[in-house]
Amino acid sequence: MQRGEVKAFHQVMNEAEKADPKSPIVKKYFDVKKALDPPFKNEDPAQVELIAKLRTEGYKTFDSERKHYRLYALAKDKDNATSALANRRLALMEDTLDTFYYWFALQEGSTRQPNLPKFRLNALLAGTKDDFKIKHEQWGQMPMVADGFTPRRDNVVVLSSKVRLQDPIYNEFQSVLARVFEETNGKLQKMNFGINFTPEDLLNGNISDVKKNPAANNFKPVIGAAQTVVLLSKTLEDRAERQTVTNESIRQLLIASEMFPRNVQIPDWMVEGLAAFFETPSNALYPAIGRPSWTHLISFKHFRNKNRFANQADVLHSVVTDAYFLDARLLSKDAEERTESTDLQKAATEAWELARCTSWAFVYSLAQDNNLDYLFKYGDELNKLPR
């Protein structure tokens, strides 16, 4: 399960039942499995107005196979591209739901099992980059880890259909790729070779079909190189998509499971730390749920080597008081006002990296010692605060 092999995980647990049916962990696993079988049918009362507005604006609904999630997207009839995008992300959400609840079921000791969501888990897919930007502004421009955000009070996951919005290197790569395709196709058309390079045909292999493209045999080395570049681009997109869905789905589950209250301002370090603990970062070679983070462990070691953690008591105090996140927000605000300062931009990026890696490290440490139940108890105390 920690490697994201959900199907294989279920097969192993079925074997475990045969080997030791009285095992407490086996029992907890099957209790969770039974609880997750029914769909989430009821709508969240807090989302009634939002859903009504989306329907008025013409958003279509896409339901996950197990009916735990519903995604709203602007799509025309027979819009295969949007349908495929929605279904792929819904499948990732279902996997994240499983890994979240089964991870807790496999923990020994007193770690509490999170409550199941009472209502259907909803998500919204913005059709264009500008549409996503507008929605982000409307919901208060909350800081984003990847290409999505989850407003706590509404508890709806808002996703961008375009990935790596905050990755300038990837965006530059895409611009170069588009220009090369345009120049190559222009030359081929002038020479009347009857072949056209598109990312879709390169990925599905149609461009190599001699029956459809008789000139394909003359361009095998070029086609091979182009396919490699397009495959790299697609891999970068898929990894960014997985990070966004896994991170934001966990944020949604933390509220839907009533682990933390939705109408109280809760510390960033808990939400960020738990989301990072269960997410798959965009540069991960494979999922590592509940294991050392591909991204945050490297950042943590970097800051440790830079002697940023000289006084451990001060570091812990900065984590649990959200001091690192407050510093990151202030630096980001300054960087937005002084866009000409590259040093300020770099400092803001580093501040967010410091805040997120330390919050992940603290949650990871608690998990390793079977002490995550302290977070549940902290959530109970927060739930007593005035709304």
Side-chain angles (χ1 to χ4, degrees):
M1 188 189 65
Q2 290 176 330
R3 293 288 180 90
E5 299 286 348
V6 180
K7 185 178 179 181
F9 162 71
H10 289 304
Q11 292 172 346
V12 169
M13 292 307 297
N14 287 329
E15 293 175 12
E17 183 194 26
K18 295 175 184 177
D20 187 3
K22 295 182 180 180
S23 165
I25 288 182
V26 169
K27 185 180 183 301
K28 282 198 293 182
Y29 162 79
F30 280 101
D31 286 344
V32 171
K33 189 173 186 298
K34 183 179 179 181
L36 286 174
D37 278 344
F40 301 152
K41 295 180 180 179
N42 299 324
E43 290 289 4
D44 188 340
Q47 297 176 350
V48 170
E49 291 185 13
L50 173 63
I51 291 171
K53 182 182 178 183
L54 293 175
R55 292 186 183 279
T56 302
E57 293 174 354
Y59 279 79
K60 288 183 64 177
T61 59
F62 298 86
D63 288 347
S64 62
E65 188 175 340
R66 292 158 59 199
K67 302 291 190 295
H68 293 134
Y69 287 88
R70 173 167 290 174
L71 187 144
Y72 290 82
L74 284 173
K76 299 178 181 178
D77 292 336
K78 298 181 181 180
D79 185 347
N80 295 330
T82 302
S83 179
L85 182 62
N87 290 330
R88 188 169 64 248
R89 296 192 176 187
L90 286 166
L92 280 171
M93 290 176 184
E94 288 283 3
D95 283 349
T96 306
L97 177 75
D98 281 354
T99 54
F100 179 75
Y101 282 99
Y102 285 124
W103 186 90
F104 280 100
L106 297 185
Q107 302 311 301
E108 297 178 352
S110 60
T111 301
R112 193 188 313 180
Q113 183 69 38
N115 299 326
L116 255 68
K118 295 178 180 178
F119 310 109
R120 181 188 290 117
L121 299 166
N122 290 319
L124 170 61
L125 181 66
T128 64
K129 184 177 179 180
D130 289 339
D131 183 28
F132 178 76
K133 185 178 179 181
I134 290 170
K135 285 180 169 52
H136 188 225
E137 290 174 352
Q138 290 174 339
W139 260 295
Q141 289 186 309
M142 53 194 302
M144 295 190 298
V145 173
D147 307 302
F149 60 94
T150 306
R152 192 172 300 145
R153 184 172 295 177
D154 292 310
N155 204 33
V156 58
V157 174
V158 183
L159 302 170
S160 168
S161 58
K162 307 297 181 183
V163 296
R164 294 188 177 268
L165 299 176
Q166 304 175 88
D167 187 344
I169 297 175
Y170 170 79
N171 292 324
E172 183 182 354
F173 169 65
Q174 288 296 101
S175 298
V176 172
L177 189 60
R179 187 172 68 250
V180 171
F181 273 130
E182 185 179 355
E183 292 173 356
T184 303
N185 287 327
K187 292 176 182 177
L188 291 171
Q189 289 171 10
K190 286 180 180 179
M191 291 185 280
N192 296 317
F193 277 115
I195 190 170
N196 195 49
F197 282 68
T198 67
E200 293 77 15
D201 286 344
L202 286 163
L203 282 172
N204 60 32
N206 286 342
I207 198 166
S208 302
D209 190 339
V210 180
K211 293 181 180 179
K212 296 180 180 179
N213 297 302
N217 280 332
N218 300 323
F219 294 95
K220 283 185 178 181
V222 179
I223 291 173
Q227 285 178 319
T228 302
V229 174
V230 173
L231 184 60
L232 171 62
S233 175
K234 182 63 177 174
T235 301
L236 292 171
E237 291 172 9
D238 287 351
R239 288 180 178 179
E241 184 178 76
R242 181 177 287 274
Q243 181 189 21
T244 300
V245 173
T246 54
N247 186 287
E248 299 303 330
S249 294
I250 292 299
R251 292 170 185 271
Q252 185 181 43
L253 286 171
L254 294 178
I255 303 302
S257 67
E258 299 178 336
M259 188 172 180
F260 301 123
R262 71 195 300 169
N263 294 316
V264 172
Q265 184 60 41
I266 61 179
D268 283 318
W269 72 263
M270 290 194 301
V271 179
E272 292 278 358
L274 283 163
F277 184 73
F278 287 101
E279 75 172 4
T280 299
S282 62
N283 61 345
L285 298 181
Y286 52 81
I289 299 146
R291 301 294 298 163
S293 170
W294 290 90
T295 300
H296 298 302
L297 179 59
I298 294 172
S299 297
F300 189 87
K301 288 182 176 180
H302 165 74
F303 288 119
R304 185 187 62 189
N305 294 338
K306 292 289 183 179
N307 206 30
R308 296 290 294 272
F309 303 146
N311 190 316
Q312 296 181 20
D314 288 345
V315 174
L316 181 59
H317 184 267
S318 295
V319 172
V320 298
T321 59
D322 258 358
Y324 287 137
F325 283 100
L326 292 172
D327 289 345
R329 289 177 188 275
L330 289 173
L331 280 169
S332 292
K333 186 177 179 180
D334 291 343
E336 288 176 7
E337 294 173 355
R338 295 168 55 191
T339 53
E340 75 285 352
S341 175
T342 55
D343 288 342
L344 202 53
Q345 300 279 348
K346 184 179 178 181
T349 300
E350 189 173 272
W352 281 110
E353 193 176 343
L354 176 64
R356 285 168 174 151
C357 80
T358 49
S359 62
W360 164 81
F362 187 40
V363 169
Y364 180 77
S365 175
L366 291 172
Q368 290 297 100
D369 295 334
N370 290 320
N371 284 329
L372 275 188
D373 205 47
Y374 285 117
L375 294 186
F376 281 97
K377 293 175 183 177
Y378 192 17
D380 293 339
E381 293 301 316
L382 291 172
N383 205 28
K384 298 174 185 177
L385 293 175
R387 268 48 186 161

